[in-house]
């Protein structure tokens, strides 16, 4: 359902062609949002309940019992910090299913709700009660090179998306990414305006110096080239210094309550964009530099 797992429903007929394909590792997964109430009066939790086959590549590697069973909940570490403990028992709202907390793992979140793993059969009991009919939400795939996924998708009447493409189906993800992209775009534009204003003031202060250069025989092209070079050096040094300070701040916040991440590619791209837009913003002063008459050098210095 457009990669929105919580709205998607498949059954064994969709799974069978993938499992019969040579070299393809296919395992079903169920996804739903639920509220769970603690039996002992502890905190209620809102979770994205993921039903997975025990022993599959989707099953959590930590937090599960030694035998690999999933007859309970393996919760994201975030919920441990909220006071949930191993052994607590939770009743899923809308059903009579009660599941114990088996452990914790670094599962992350889905749709802003912390992920909780349970067995696929347990998930079916929560969602479908006594009439599961082998249903689940989606199929997770490990596909080797050379497999015709288009043909298999047609045979199984399914739509195949990459893991990155599946992020778009997370509730609110696309809208939030569009908002963040818009904010970053506005920041780049604002930075260009600020740099342009700064160099406009600087050019006004250097008007007589520019006039003196022209009076001494410097061509307009030389003066403009000199001004652009100075602006480029200032913008580049300032952008690099800002990136260093920003990276240090993000590194200090890493692991704390603020979700941050450092990515070298994004940092370099941001610096390049700031330099390019900063120089572009500074070019608004070129017309003023080019129009400074040599006679201005004859003015009286304050």
């Amino acid at each position: 359902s457009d990669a929105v797992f919580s709205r998607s429903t498949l059954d064994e007929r969709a799974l069978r062609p993938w499992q019969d394909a040579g070299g393809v590792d296919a395992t079903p997964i169920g996804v739903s949002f639920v509220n769970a109430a603690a039996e002992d009066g502890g905190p209620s939790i809102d979770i994205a309940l993921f039903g997975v086959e025990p022993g599959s590549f989707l099953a959590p590697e930590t937090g599960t019992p030694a035998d690999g069973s999933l007859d309970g909940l393996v919760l994201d570490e975030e919920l441990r910090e909220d006071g949930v403990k191993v052994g607590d028992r939770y009743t899923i709202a809308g059903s009579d299913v009660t599941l114990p907390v088996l452990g914790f793992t670094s599962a992350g979140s889905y749709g802003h709700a912390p992920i909780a793993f349970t067995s696929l059969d347990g998930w079916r009991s929560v969602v479908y009660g006594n009439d599961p009919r082998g249903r689940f939400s989606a199929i997770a795939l490990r596909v080797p090179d050379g497999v015709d996924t288009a043909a298999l998708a047609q045979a199984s009447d399914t739509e195949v998306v990459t893991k990155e493409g599946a992020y778009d189906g997370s509730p609110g993800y696309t809208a939030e990414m569009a908002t963040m992209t818009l904010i970053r775009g506005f920041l780049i534009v604002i930075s260009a305006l600020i740099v342009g204003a700064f160099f406009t003031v600087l050019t006004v202060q250097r008007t007589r110096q520019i006039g003196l250069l022209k009076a001494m025989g410097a061509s307009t092209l030389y003066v403009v080239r000199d001004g652009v070079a100075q602006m480029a050096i200032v913008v580049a040094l300032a952008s690099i210094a800002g990136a260093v300070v920003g990276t240090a701040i993000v590194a200090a916040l890493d692991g704390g309550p603020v979700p941050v991440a450092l990515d070298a590619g994004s940092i370099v791209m941001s610096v390049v964009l700031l330099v390019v837009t900063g120089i572009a913003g500074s070019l608004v002063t070129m017309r003023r530099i080019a129009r400074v008459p040599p006679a201005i050098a004859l003015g009286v210095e304050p």
Side-chain angles (χ1 to χ4, degrees):
S1 182
D2 294 327
V4 183
F5 299 152
S6 56
R7 293 207 306 257
S8 175
T9 303
L10 301 175
D11 57 23
E12 294 295 329
R13 291 171 297 178
L15 179 61
R16 195 172 300 114
W18 292 104
Q19 290 184 329
D20 292 341
V24 176
D25 191 357
T27 182
I29 178 174
V31 179
S32 59
F33 294 97
V34 300
N35 176 269
E39 282 191 340
D40 61 357
S44 296
I45 54 176
D46 294 310
I47 54 177
L49 188 63
F50 279 27
V52 299
E53 291 280 13
S56 69
F57 67 86
L58 289 181
E61 297 180 356
T62 59
T64 55
D67 60 2
S69 63
L70 273 173
D71 298 326
L73 297 171
V74 177
L75 304 175
D76 181 61
E77 292 283 357
E78 174 187 334
L79 294 172
R80 192 207 299 264
E81 300 172 3
D82 293 339
V84 181
K85 304 181 298 296
V86 173
D88 289 351
R89 296 181 62 83
Y90 278 87
T91 301
I92 310 300
S95 72
D96 57 357
V97 177
T98 300
L99 298 170
V101 176
L102 303 177
F104 297 89
T105 188
S106 297
S109 63
Y110 179 76
H112 295 292
I115 292 174
F117 290 99
T118 190
S119 68
L120 186 59
D121 289 338
W123 177 84
R124 285 169 173 157
S125 297
V126 169
V127 177
Y128 298 113
N130 297 323
D131 187 29
R133 288 182 286 173
R135 288 173 287 184
F136 48 86
S137 300
I139 304 169
L141 302 171
R142 280 180 171 173
V143 183
D145 294 335
V147 174
D148 188 353
T149 56
L152 289 171
Q154 184 176 6
S156 58
D157 194 22
T158 56
E159 177 187 359
V160 179
V161 296
T162 63
K163 183 170 65 174
E164 290 74 15
Y167 295 156
D168 293 339
S170 178
Y173 178 84
T174 301
E176 290 170 5
M177 289 302 296
T179 300
M180 294 303 298
T181 300
L182 186 62
I183 291 173
R184 287 196 293 266
F186 272 121
L187 289 175
I188 293 295
V189 173
I190 291 170
S191 69
L193 294 175
I194 292 174
V195 171
F198 170 80
F199 280 111
T200 297
V201 174
L202 184 62
T203 300
V204 171
Q205 294 176 341
R206 296 175 59 231
T207 298
R208 287 177 178 161
Q209 178 187 355
I210 296 169
L212 180 59
L213 287 173
K214 288 189 174 181
M216 295 173 63
S219 65
T220 299
L221 178 61
Y222 172 84
V223 174
V224 169
R225 188 171 64 243
D226 177 69
V228 171
Q230 293 183 40
M231 295 172 188
I233 292 172
V234 172
V235 171
L237 291 178
S239 299
I240 293 172
V244 171
V245 173
T247 301
I249 294 174
V250 172
L253 294 174
D254 192 18
V258 181
V260 295
L262 285 173
D263 180 71
S266 296
I267 295 172
V268 172
M269 181 59 67
S270 297
V271 172
V272 171
L273 282 174
L274 285 172
V275 171
V276 171
T277 55
I279 294 175
S282 68
L283 292 179
V284 298
T285 65
M286 291 301 100
R287 183 181 179 187
R288 178 181 290 273
I289 291 176
R291 295 177 63 183
V292 172
I296 198 72
L298 299 176
V300 179
E301 292 288 342

